[in-house]
Amino acid sequence: MSLFSLSMLSFAICYLASKYCYTIVSWSDFDETDLVQVWEVLDEFKVVSDTAQVLTTLVSFLLGLYVTKTVDIWWNIRHELLQGVLNTIDSMCARLAVYFPGNTIEDEEAKETVLRYGVLSVKLLFKDAREVDSWNIRDRKRLGCDNLGDLVDEGLLLNHEKELLKDCPSRAQVVWVWIASLFTKWCLDGRLPNPLENQNTILEECNTARNNISMILARVNTQYPMSYSHLVISMVKVLLIIQALCSGYIFNLSLWTGYYYWMCTQLVYLVIWTIFHQAMIDIKEHITNPFRDNPCDFSEMIQAARSLNTCRAFFKAGKHPPYAHKHKTNPAALPPQLIVRQIISSRLKKNHRTAVSPGGRYKVGADPTSPGNSMHSPPEPSPSPY
């Protein structure tokens, strides 16, 4: 039963009971010219209307904390966690716009692949978050939790990548492992400048985005303590029942005594108060999971389109910076570098040969031709020409 129906039912019961039940005190013969009776009626109006005042203060405090915490979680999900994922996508694409400013197929493919993976992770986040509301196979089909065909149709997912994500949990997080592995490959292939520093930076950014997605799913999947929710809802229902009973009695008393403005004010107050509490409880329910497909939820299409437009603007800016247009030159690009590998001589396989120490002595067990060995074998004596 909704709160509005409960309030109207309580109001009707109290009105009928006060009208037809026998009581010692009756206001049916009220004389409005008698000041004593007028004072008694007005005093009874005030006493009855103030009955639920203390409970109203308590319920307002509890309900305020209840809804405020939900709004804080919603705000944290949008402006810290989800925005952190979007900022990471923009940061990586801005980096690639500088590193790969050319028009070659390899450069275009590299930039579009990272952008595609980033937007794909956002789309998969919405699918993963909607699993909270899927209690059976029918719900999963209705919400599209397992359907990756729409992502293939949008060009965000290739067929062989779809097979990799099939029956895979935490799909939105897995995509960031793909991005980190792709950057690692580029570093090893020598396609990025300063590969070691870039590798560490990219791994930190990918891990931050993955952590944000994990925190979002944790927030969405964690409900309020059931006892706390029951306490708040029960207190709201008790308050509205008491308020409806008081309004029903004052409504009937106003008809007897002719103070119709009290009747109107109590009826309006009851309706508005009930709708307000019902709306506060509905707000908590609607914003608990903002990744649904309701009008008040986040729009995955807007988030994806914004990332695509922003990052492609970065790519265009990297290809055509102002100085290149002015001086008729190509955009600047740092030269790619290979990772410098240090070889530890102690880890090399040693040949049991004899080498000469700096003091002229021979050392057994060292390979004199190894790159990390500073000791060399004595030079072979050249044959004398005589």
Side-chain angles (χ1 to χ4, degrees):
M1 179 183 294
S2 65
L3 296 181
F4 187 79
S5 301
L6 181 63
S7 298
M8 293 299 103
L9 179 62
S10 302
F11 174 84
I13 292 175
C14 183
Y15 170 74
L16 295 175
S18 60
K19 183 176 182 179
Y20 294 106
C21 292
Y22 173 77
T23 56
I24 297 178
V25 179
S26 176
W27 295 100
S28 57
D29 54 350
F30 172 72
D31 184 7
E32 61 182 7
T33 61
D34 190 350
L35 296 179
V36 175
Q37 293 187 21
V38 171
W39 178 263
E40 290 179 351
V41 169
L42 295 179
D43 184 65
E44 186 165 353
F45 279 155
K46 185 178 185 304
V47 171
V48 175
S49 62
D50 292 343
T51 301
Q53 187 64 37
V54 176
L55 187 59
T56 300
T57 304
L58 177 60
V59 172
S60 300
F61 176 74
L62 292 176
L63 187 59
L65 292 178
Y66 188 70
V67 178
T68 300
K69 184 61 178 177
T70 307
V71 175
D72 291 341
I73 293 175
W74 181 93
W75 196 263
N76 174 259
I77 289 176
R78 177 60 187 88
H79 289 275
E80 293 186 22
L81 300 178
L82 180 58
Q83 190 61 41
V85 176
L86 299 175
N87 290 343
T88 302
I89 299 172
D90 295 345
S91 175
M92 288 187 172
C93 290
R95 186 187 298 269
L96 291 179
V98 176
Y99 288 163
F100 301 142
N103 293 320
T104 63
I105 298 178
E106 292 79 7
D107 289 354
E108 293 292 336
E109 182 181 1
K111 292 182 288 188
E112 287 296 328
T113 300
V114 173
L115 175 58
R116 180 168 61 86
Y117 282 166
V119 177
L120 175 63
S121 69
V122 176
K123 290 276 192 174
L124 290 175
L125 172 61
F126 278 81
K127 289 183 177 293
D128 291 343
R130 288 171 183 170
E131 291 183 357
V132 180
D133 300 321
S134 57
W135 298 96
N136 49 49
I137 298 178
R138 180 180 300 176
D139 290 341
R140 295 184 70 89
K141 290 183 179 180
R142 177 177 56 86
L143 298 173
C145 299
D146 301 321
N147 181 24
L148 300 179
D150 56 340
L151 301 179
V152 176
D153 296 337
E154 293 179 23
L156 297 175
L157 193 64
L158 303 181
N159 289 323
H160 71 278
E161 296 170 345
K162 175 184 175 182
E163 295 300 323
L164 294 175
L165 292 177
K166 187 178 181 180
D167 300 328
C168 177
S170 303
R171 296 167 296 187
Q173 301 180 56
V174 169
V175 174
W176 287 100
V177 179
W178 292 359
I179 297 176
S181 179
L182 183 59
F183 271 94
T184 303
K185 180 181 182 301
W186 290 340
C187 290
L188 292 175
D189 292 345
R191 297 193 62 186
L192 298 177
N194 200 357
L196 288 178
E197 182 178 347
N198 268 308
Q199 170 71 358
N200 294 332
T201 303
I202 293 301
L203 286 179
E204 290 178 1
E205 291 185 353
C206 290
N207 194 43
T208 299
R210 189 209 59 79
N211 286 337
N212 286 352
I213 292 176
S214 178
M215 286 291 296
I216 290 175
L217 296 177
R219 293 271 191 179
V220 171
N221 283 276
T222 303
Q223 63 179 359
Y224 275 18
M226 193 63 65
S227 56
Y228 179 51
S229 299
H230 282 175
L231 173 64
V232 174
I233 301 302
S234 300
M235 291 293 289
V236 170
K237 290 182 177 180
V238 171
L239 170 64
L240 293 179
I241 290 175
I242 294 177
Q243 188 65 46
L245 295 177
C246 295
S247 298
Y249 178 75
I250 293 177
F251 188 88
N252 188 36
L253 186 59
S254 300
L255 291 177
W256 283 340
T257 57
Y259 291 98
Y260 300 112
Y261 65 90
W262 275 90
M263 175 182 65
C264 297
T265 56
Q266 286 298 310
L267 186 59
V268 172
Y269 177 76
L270 177 62
V271 173
I272 295 177
W273 199 236
T274 303
I275 294 176
F276 171 76
H277 283 83
Q278 184 69 60
M280 292 289 286
I281 295 176
D282 288 344
I283 286 176
K284 186 266 175 187
E285 176 60 28
H286 280 83
I287 69 176
T288 299
N289 184 3
F291 295 94
R292 301 185 181 108
D293 197 19
N294 298 325
C296 60
D297 295 329
F298 301 153
S299 173
E300 61 175 317
M301 297 181 64
I302 291 179
Q303 308 302 331
R306 185 173 298 165
S307 292
L308 288 171
N309 294 333
T310 302
C311 294
R312 283 177 177 156
F314 293 162
F315 297 158
K316 184 178 180 181
K319 290 181 182 178
H320 308 286
Y323 65 86
H325 177 74
K326 180 179 180 180
H327 301 289
K328 306 298 181 179
T329 60
N330 294 325
L334 293 173
Q337 300 174 357
L338 288 170
I339 295 180
V340 179
R341 296 176 176 84
Q342 182 179 2
I343 300 176
I344 303 176
S345 60
S346 60
R347 298 297 183 94
L348 297 177
K349 184 178 180 182
K350 299 178 180 179
N351 296 325
H352 294 281
R353 295 178 58 185
T354 304
V356 178
S357 63
R361 298 182 179 181
Y362 290 91
K363 183 178 179 181
V364 180
D367 184 5
T369 62
S370 62
N373 200 339
S374 61
M375 297 175 295
H376 303 278
S377 60
E380 297 289 338
S382 57
S384 174
Y386 301 102

